[in-house]
Amino acid sequence: RTGGGRGLRGIAERAALLRGSCAWDTVDGRWRLTVRLPLGAAR
């Protein structure tokens, strides 16, 4: 499939730009993506 996304690396880069974090792993046989972003005014 073609597209402009950059997969997990792109998600991690975008999260970092927003002062957040990104992690992925397999938990109990299921694939899981976690993205954490701060809730606050941008500075």
Side-chain angles (χ1 to χ4, degrees):
R1 176 172 96 172
T2 61
R6 296 187 345 226
L8 295 173
R9 180 178 290 159
I11 293 170
E13 289 173 358
R14 290 181 193 107
L17 286 173
L18 297 170
R19 296 183 179 172
S21 64
C22 175
W24 52 89
D25 199 358
T26 301
V27 178
D28 295 329
R30 293 186 173 183
W31 195 86
R32 179 176 292 180
L33 170 67
T34 304
V35 178
R36 296 180 185 271
L37 300 172
L39 295 176
R43 293 181 186 218

